[in-house]
Amino acid sequence: MTLIKTKHNRRSFLKVSAASTGGLMIGFSWVVSCNPVSEVTEHKPPSEWFDINAFLSIADNGQVTVMSPNPEIGQNVKTSMPMIVAEELDVNWEDVIVKQAALNTDAFTRQVAGGSQSIRKGWNGLRMAGATARKMLVNAAAKQWNVNPDVLKTENGVITRPDGKKLSYAEVASSAAGMEIPDEVELKDPENFKIVGTSRGNVDIESIITGKPLFGIDTKREGMQYAVVLRPPAFGMKLKSFDDTKTKTINGVSQVVEFDNKIAVLANSTWAAMKGQKALEAKWQTDGNLEDSDFHDRTLLALLNKKADTDSHARKDGEVENKFKEADEIVERTYEAPFLPHNCLEPMNFFADVTDEKIDLYGPIQTPAGTRRRIAKEFERDESEISVGMSRMGGGFGRRLYGDFAVEAAKISDKIRKPVQVMFSRENDMTAGIYRPATKYKIKAGLKEGKITSYQLIEAAINNNMYGRLPNNFPAGALADYQVDNHRYESNISTGAWRAPYTNFLAFAEQTFLDEIATLTNTDPLELRIQLLKQAKKGVGPEGNYDPDKFIGVIKLAADKAGWRKNKDGIFQGFSAYYSHNTYVAEVAEVIMEKNRPKVTKMTVAIDCGIVVNPIAAINQAKGGVIDGIGHAMYGDFGFTQGTPHASNFDRYRLIRMPEAPEVDIHFVESFNAPTGLGEPTLPPAGGALANAIYAATGKRLYKQPFIKQDFVLE
Amino acid sequence: MALFNITVNGSSHEIDVDPDTPILWVLRDHLHLVGTKYGCGIAQCGACTVHLNGAAVRSCSIPVNNIGNNKITTIEGLSEKANHAVQNAWREHDVPQCGYCQAGQIMNATALLSQNPNPSDQDIENGMSGNICRCCTYNKIKAAIKTAAKNV
C-alpha cells in the first residue's frame, strides 16, 4: 500500500469550541443510518458525543456524526462530501449520521455551491479531516495500551493491535478528543477505498419521500410574517407612487412597506401576501432604457463585426488574418442564443430576523459566506452578529449564487422588526431574474488542403464576457494561429451565472461548427477532433487548458459505447465533446424521424472526472446535466419587449418534460485521479450533439437556440 | 374569512381562511404540512400534487371552498411507514437530485399506478408529463415507476 503523507493546515483541524458545532452533543436523538441498500445497523441511543474536529464527532455507541460543510443544491454533496471524511476515518458508512454544518469560515474552506468545485476543492481537506481524526483515535488507543501507534491498524471503526486485541473508536473517542493534533497524517491509497467509489443513497431520501421540512420555503418560525414583494414591471422602470387601500382590506395582511423601489406586503400566510401584492395599485416611471430583444439582436450582430482593439484580444496566437488570406476556403458561421431564466423549481425565498443584537438568516443560498459579508456591509454590522443557516435547496443552477433575496428579507425584517420569510411568486422569480445573458458567437476558420489552419472566435454578449481561462479551451493549443475576441453591450437587464456559464452555449457553437467543418472536409467528426487534439499534444499552438490524451480518451469511449456510425437503421447520430469544470465529456446523440421531424431518443455519454465518489448520484447528476442541456437547447426562449420579459410562468415558458427526455447512458473513465467537477460539465456538449444528429437526420444545420423555433424541428 | 372543515390524511381540521385560499396554502401555512410544494401556482408544474379521493390534483389551483367532504391525501399521509411501493422504488433508485419536485412526482405516480397498474413506457411518459423536474431526473422517475408497478 502506498501511503501518502501530507502536511495539513492546522487551523482547519483545530478542535472547534463548543459554540460552533453544538459542542458535546449529549443525548442527541437516535437516527437510523441512511444507506438504503445496506443492512441497517442497530445502535443503542448514544449518551455522549465527543468532538474530534470540526467535521466529526463520535458517540459512545459507535455512531459518527459527519458535518457536511457545503450547501446542498441537488448535486449530492451532503452525501458525497461526508463519504470522503468517513472513508479516511475508516468507519462503516452505516454508522454515519450526516448533518449540515453551520457557516464557519474558520473551520471550513469554501462553503460554496458553484463552479462544480465542491468535491474537487474539498477533496484534500475532507480526506485530511477523516485521516486526522483516525490518527488521533489510533494515538489514543496506543496511549491506553502503551504501544507504538505505528503497529496499530484500523478497520470499520475498530483499532486492532498485533496480538489481536481490539478497541472500538467509541471506546477511545473520549481520550482522542483531547489528543494533540498530529502534524502529519497518512491518507489511504485510493485503490483501497471502501466507501468512496461505491453507491450510497441520498442521506435526505427519507425526508424527501415523506415530505419532511427540508427546504427554505418550509421554514416556520415563531411570529414569522410572510412577505411577497411587488417589483418594477420592466427593467428600466422605478416606483413612482402606490395605493395600498385594497391590499389592506385583505384578510391576513398586516403591513405594507416600501423599500428600494419595491413594495413588500406582509401577511400571516403566503396566500394572503400574494393576494395583497396583486391588489396593490402602483405607478411606475421610466428610469433607464426599456430594451427589446430585437434591439439586442441587432446590437450583438453589429458587435460581432466590430474590429477588436489591437491589444484587447482574449487570446491571440500567431496571425489569423494572414492565415485567412492564404486559406483555400474560409468558413464563417454565426450562432445565437437568448437570455435564459434559471427557473429553480423552489422559487427564491429567504428567512430573516433582524434585531439590535443579531441578524439571523436562513434559507437556500449557494454563497452563505459572501451573503453574510454583503449583509454585514449593507447593515454596517459586524459579521459575528450575523448567522446564515443553509437549508437544502430546490435547485440553484447559479441563481442562488446571488443573495439578493436574502438582502430583501433582511431589509424587510429590519423595517418591521419581526421575523420575515420573503417568498417570490413564480412570476416574481421569472421576471426578477439574473439571467443567462443573450450571447452570439461568430466562428471563422481558414481551411488549407482540407485541414483547419486558422481559427477565430468572436463573442458578443449582453453585460458579461467569457472569463478566466475559457479562451484557452479547445481548440486553443491545437492551432498555431488562433484568436478570441470579446465584445459586450451593457444593459440594465440583470445577468449572471447560469449552469455552466458561457460554455452552456459556447460548446454548442464550437461543436456544431466542427461538425460542419468535418462534413465540408469529408472527415469523420471524431477523427477531426482527434487530429486537432494530436496537434495540441505536439504543441502546434501555445498550451490550451486541457489534457489532449484525456480528451481523446472520452471521445473513443463514447464512440465505442454508442456504436458510432455502425449501421443503425433509422437512427441518426451526432457527436460532441467538451472540456469544462476540469472534466472531459463526449456525447453521442441519437435521433429518429417521427412524423417527418427529428426526435432525440438516446444520449451516450463518456466522462473523465477522476475518481467518482458516489456513482449512483454521479450518474443521476450527469444524466440531469445532459437532459437539461437538451431541454434548454430545444425549448429555452426568453426575451424582452420594452424591458418587460415575454414570459412569467410555465404556461409561456417551456421546460423539458418526461416525454421529451431521452434515455441517457453514462460511462465513466476508470480513474484514480483526484475528482473533478460533475454538476455542470455534461450540459455544454448536449445541445451540439443533438444539433449534429438533427443534421445527420435532416441535412439541416441549426445555428440558433431554441431549436423549436426552426420549422423542421419536432415540437 | 370563513370556517371550513377539511379531511387531510384521515384527520379532520377546522380552519378559518378566505374561501378562495388554495388547498396548497392551507396545507403549508395553516396545517404546516409542507411536503406539498409550491412551484407555479397555475397547475403547470405538478409540484403541489395531492390526492383528492385518490385522484391526483394540483392543490395550487383548488380553492378550499371546493373541497367539501372530499378526502385529501398528501405526501405525509401516503403511507404510515414510508413504505408505499412507489416510495420504496424511489429509495431503491435513489431518484432525487434536489428533491423539491419529488413529493409531487410520487403523488402523481401513485395515482397513475392506482388507475393503471401496468403502464407502458408511453403511459408513464404521458401520465407524468404534468410534473416538471428541473434537475431532470426523468430517467430515474420512469425506472422507479416501473419497479413500483411490479411491487404494488
Side-chain angles (χ1 to χ4, degrees):
Chain A
M1 183 171 106
T2 320
L3 293 176
I4 304 157
K5 292 206 171 197
T6 317
K7 285 268 184 196
H8 67 73
N9 168 10
R10 286 185 70 86
R11 201 177 66 126
S12 302
F13 303 106
L14 292 179
K15 280 195 302 150
V16 290
S17 67
S20 54
T21 62
L24 213 62
M25 293 180 280
I26 296 170
F28 182 77
S29 64
W30 178 68
V31 184
V32 175
S33 71
C34 43
N35 183 357
V37 289
S38 306
E39 281 183 26
V40 171
T41 318
E42 296 286 338
H43 287 283
K44 284 184 194 162
S47 54
E48 216 173 343
W49 285 91
F50 304 98
D51 291 350
I52 310 295
N53 58 39
F55 285 85
L56 62 100
S57 40
I58 298 176
D60 57 359
N61 70 344
Q63 284 186 293
V64 181
T65 297
V66 179
M67 308 305 287
S68 182
N70 283 25
E72 173 61 64
I73 201 175
Q75 82 282 47
N76 198 250
V77 290
K78 194 172 172 185
T79 306
S80 49
M81 292 181 95
M83 282 171 67
I84 300 166
V85 177
E87 177 69 67
E88 292 289 350
L89 180 61
D90 208 4
V91 291
N92 286 317
W93 180 245
E94 292 69 25
D95 295 333
V96 173
I97 297 165
V98 172
K99 292 180 79 183
Q100 177 71 54
L103 174 61
N104 181 349
T105 47
D106 287 334
F108 307 113
T109 50
R110 199 182 183 276
Q111 289 181 284
V112 171
S116 298
Q117 297 298 308
S118 291
I119 294 289
R120 177 172 171 260
K121 295 236 165 107
W123 177 246
N124 282 331
L126 294 161
R127 295 182 75 190
M128 299 294 292
T132 306
R134 177 187 162 276
K135 179 78 172 159
M136 288 162 74
L137 290 156
V138 165
N139 287 349
K143 197 173 171 193
Q144 189 170 326
W145 279 327
N146 199 19
V147 297
N148 182 340
D150 293 346
V151 304
L152 303 181
K153 293 200 177 341
T154 62
E155 191 175 17
N156 301 334
V158 175
I159 303 160
T160 308
R161 70 184 204 191
D163 65 2
K165 274 209 164 185
K166 292 178 194 301
L167 276 171
S168 71
Y169 284 4
E171 289 171 289
V172 292
S174 157
S175 49
M179 297 299 290
E180 199 176 314
I181 298 153
D183 284 333
E184 278 189 342
V185 290
E186 292 163 355
L187 298 179
K188 281 187 180 178
D189 184 329
E191 289 186 44
N192 296 322
F193 283 165
K194 288 193 241 171
I195 297 172
V196 169
T198 65
S199 287
R200 306 291 170 161
N202 189 319
V203 295
D204 279 338
I205 188 77
E206 296 303 321
S207 298
I208 291 169
I209 66 175
T210 59
K212 297 275 182 327
L214 266 183
F215 299 93
I217 191 180
D218 302 337
T219 308
K220 306 284 176 199
R221 301 276 176 92
E222 188 68 37
M224 184 181 97
Q225 294 281 297
Y226 298 87
V228 175
V229 176
L230 185 67
R231 299 175 170 77
F235 289 91
M237 284 193 142
K238 69 173 186 182
L239 184 62
K240 189 176 179 190
S241 62
F242 70 97
D243 180 351
D244 60 7
T245 316
K246 285 182 189 159
T247 297
K248 286 186 167 162
T249 65
I250 289 166
N251 286 320
V253 170
S254 55
Q255 240 175 311
V256 177
V257 295
E258 184 190 335
F259 71 106
D260 294 354
N261 271 318
K262 297 179 266 196
I263 312 156
V265 176
L266 283 302
N268 64 2
S269 73
T270 316
W271 176 246
M274 283 178 169
K275 269 174 81 175
Q277 184 233 33
K278 283 198 184 118
L280 283 170
E281 289 173 4
K283 291 199 171 88
W284 309 94
Q285 59 191 356
T286 305
D287 185 35
N289 296 337
L290 300 175
E291 294 176 1
D292 291 351
S293 288
D294 288 349
F295 163 76
H296 291 144
D297 283 339
R298 287 195 306 274
T299 306
L300 294 182
L301 286 172
L303 284 172
L304 286 181
N305 293 320
K306 189 180 152 188
K307 204 162 166 54
D309 300 332
T310 322
D311 295 319
S312 68
H313 310 292
R315 174 157 172 151
K316 185 176 186 294
D317 305 333
E319 288 295 340
V320 286
E321 293 297 338
N322 292 346
K323 277 283 164 40
F324 287 150
K325 284 177 199 149
E326 296 166 9
D328 299 336
E329 187 181 354
I330 287 175
V331 183
E332 185 181 300
R333 298 289 182 267
T334 300
Y335 300 89
E336 304 179 59
F339 291 91
L340 289 180
H342 298 80
N343 280 327
C344 304
L345 207 56
E346 180 190 16
M348 297 307 109
N349 66 83
F350 226 75
F351 170 85
D353 185 12
V354 179
T355 64
D356 288 341
E357 291 74 41
K358 60 167 183 59
I359 298 179
D360 183 13
L361 299 160
Y362 180 80
I365 182 78
Q366 292 178 245
T367 51
T371 297
R372 181 168 65 185
R373 266 199 306 279
R374 181 172 167 186
I375 294 210
K377 201 172 164 192
E378 185 93 36
F379 287 82
E380 296 179 353
R381 298 277 287 258
D382 196 89
E383 280 195 39
S384 63
E385 295 171 23
I386 304 168
S387 67
V388 184
M390 293 171 258
S391 69
R392 193 177 179 86
M393 278 176 263
F397 309 104
R399 180 62 182 86
R400 289 188 160 107
L401 291 166
Y402 309 97
D404 50 310
F405 37 85
V407 174
E408 275 192 1
K411 284 191 173 176
I412 298 166
S413 174
D414 186 40
K415 281 214 173 235
I416 68 164
R417 287 289 163 150
K418 281 180 191 158
V420 164
Q421 181 189 52
V422 73
M423 183 66 218
F424 283 44
S425 64
R426 174 57 57 195
E427 289 80 6
N428 286 163
D429 191 273
M430 214 181 285
T431 59
I434 298 181
Y435 307 101
R436 188 276 296 270
T439 304
K440 299 189 197 300
Y441 292 106
K442 185 161 86 179
I443 307 179
K444 192 173 172 184
L447 303 181
K448 186 105 181 153
E449 292 162 8
K451 305 251 185 251
I452 302 175
T453 52
S454 49
Y455 187 101
Q456 185 183 17
L457 171 71
I458 305 168
E459 177 190 60
I462 302 291
N463 295 338
N464 315 62
N465 288 122
M466 57 167 87
Y467 54 87
R469 288 171 57 78
L470 285 178
N472 304 334
N473 275 5
F474 179 78
L479 299 158
D481 300 278
Y482 176 92
Q483 188 170 313
V484 179
D485 295 304
N486 306 135
H487 304 287
R488 66 196 209 121
Y489 168 77
E490 193 116 11
S491 168
N492 56 15
I493 294 167
S494 45
T495 56
W498 192 102
R499 193 178 194 175
Y502 308 98
T503 59
N504 59 45
F505 181 63
L506 176 58
F508 164 80
E510 290 181 336
Q511 292 300 309
T512 51
F513 185 79
L514 288 178
D515 202 70
E516 198 165 348
I517 297 287
T519 305
L520 292 171
T521 58
N522 204 18
T523 317
D524 180 89
L526 273 72
E527 203 41 51
L528 173 74
R529 289 169 177 87
I530 290 170
Q531 281 169 13
L532 286 166
L533 286 161
K534 284 181 176 165
Q535 287 173 211
K537 200 179 172 186
K538 272 193 239 157
V540 170
E543 206 178 356
N545 62 353
Y546 53 90
D547 176 341
D549 287 330
K550 285 185 179 171
F551 222 140
I552 291 170
V554 292
I555 290 172
K556 289 186 169 169
L557 181 62
D560 178 44
K561 296 295 180 184
W564 174 250
R565 295 278 155 98
K566 302 253 164 63
N567 274 331
K568 287 190 179 182
D569 250 1
I571 294 172
F572 303 91
Q573 293 180 321
F575 183 81
S576 171
Y578 208 70
Y579 169 76
S580 71
H581 306 90
N582 315 93
T583 291
Y584 302 82
V585 182
E587 301 184 6
V588 176
E590 292 188 355
V591 156
I592 58 166
M593 294 301 282
E594 202 175 89
K595 298 173 203 153
N596 258 340
R597 306 274 175 104
K599 177 182 164 65
V600 60
T601 52
K602 191 180 173 191
M603 298 288 293
T604 304
V605 181
I607 304 167
D608 187 346
C609 61
I611 290 168
V612 178
V613 176
N614 188 9
I616 193 170
I619 290 168
N620 206 355
Q621 197 64 212
K623 286 184 173 204
V626 172
I627 298 174
D628 193 8
I630 297 276
H632 281 90
M634 284 290 293
Y635 312 114
D637 191 17
F638 201 75
F640 297 84
T641 299
Q642 293 288 291
T644 300
H646 294 162
S648 64
N649 208 324
F650 299 132
D651 52 345
R652 300 200 48 204
Y653 186 88
R654 186 169 176 185
L655 285 168
I656 193 166
R657 291 167 186 265
M658 192 188 280
E660 298 99 30
E663 277 300 314
V664 185
D665 190 17
I666 301 289
H667 301 274
F668 289 104
V669 171
E670 281 186 43
S671 170
F672 286 118
N673 293 322
T676 58
L678 196 57
E680 293 163 283
T682 63
L683 187 148
L690 175 56
N692 296 340
I694 290 174
Y695 169 76
T698 64
K700 291 176 183 165
R701 291 281 174 196
L702 288 155
Y703 300 102
K704 281 187 189 184
Q705 291 186 358
F707 300 164
I708 47 158
K709 280 197 162 176
Q710 318 299 311
D711 58 8
F712 62 93
V713 176
L714 189 72
E715 279 264 344
Chain B
M1 303 279 264
L3 282 180
F4 294 92
N5 213 308
I6 60 168
T7 307
V8 180
N9 301 332
S11 307
S12 149
H13 299 269
E14 192 177 74
I15 35 152
D16 187 11
V17 292
D18 276 355
D20 66 351
T21 309
I23 286 299
L24 167 67
W25 298 111
V26 172
L27 293 170
R28 292 189 55 84
D29 291 350
H30 298 276
L31 303 180
H32 287 198
L33 291 169
V34 296
T36 306
K37 297 297 193 245
Y38 166 70
C40 68
I42 57 167
Q44 290 289 311
C45 77
C48 68
T49 305
V50 299
H51 294 171
L52 199 61
N53 296 337
V57 295
R58 310 304 185 210
S59 66
C60 72
S61 300
I62 301 178
V64 66
N65 67 342
N66 287 11
I67 293 297
N69 294 324
N70 298 299
K71 292 179 173 56
I72 299 163
T73 307
T74 70
I75 186 74
E76 290 93 342
L78 182 63
S79 63
E80 265 185 38
K81 294 180 175 170
N83 58 357
H84 187 285
V86 171
Q87 286 168 313
N88 290 342
W90 247 247
R91 197 184 282 115
E92 182 185 329
H93 288 269
D94 205 40
V95 172
Q97 284 186 36
C98 85
Y100 190 78
C101 74
Q102 299 295 348
Q105 304 278 2
I106 289 170
M107 295 310 282
N108 206 72
T110 51
L112 169 71
L113 288 175
S114 67
Q115 285 183 341
N116 179 359
N118 285 304
S120 66
D121 276 24
Q122 207 176 353
D123 293 339
I124 296 172
E125 288 174 13
N126 293 337
M128 297 302 291
S129 65
N131 289 69
I132 291 171
C133 175
R134 178 66 184 83
C135 305
C136 301
T137 61
Y138 296 121
N139 283 188
K140 285 211 177 201
I141 293 171
K142 196 196 280 182
I145 292 173
K146 287 186 192 176
T147 298
K150 284 184 207 145
N151 301 323
V152 164

